Amino acid sequence: MIKLEVEEYCDDCPEFDAHVEKEVLFAGYSKKYCNTNITCEHKDKCKRLKDMIEKEAKKRND
């Protein structure tokens, strides 16, 4: 299964850099089953920036 895990704010991001992780579940003679997760290399940094901006906006509105 391939799973794309990106946030809504990642749409059209010029800094998006795909990070692929594969987890092999079973490998037989002629078949290989695996999970593939695709995220952005910068997802943690962007999440921190988003949280910081939301926190600052909340302070200004209070």
Side-chain angles (χ1 to χ4, degrees), residues 8-21:
E8 197 173 303
Y9 54 80
C10 296
D11 288 349
D12 299 321
C13 178
E15 300 294 321
F16 184 83
D17 187 18
H19 175 73
V20 179
E21 292 181 9

Side-chain angles (χ1 to χ4, degrees), residues 4-37:
L4 180 61
E5 297 179 39
V6 293
E7 297 296 330
E8 197 173 303
Y9 54 80
C10 296
D11 288 349
D12 299 321
C13 178
E15 300 294 321
F16 184 83
D17 187 18
H19 175 73
V20 179
E21 292 181 9
K22 289 187 179 184
E23 176 187 18
V24 176
L25 303 175
F26 172 78
Y29 292 106
S30 62
K31 293 185 178 182
K32 182 163 106 173
Y33 298 97
C34 62
N35 285 335
T36 303
N37 293 320

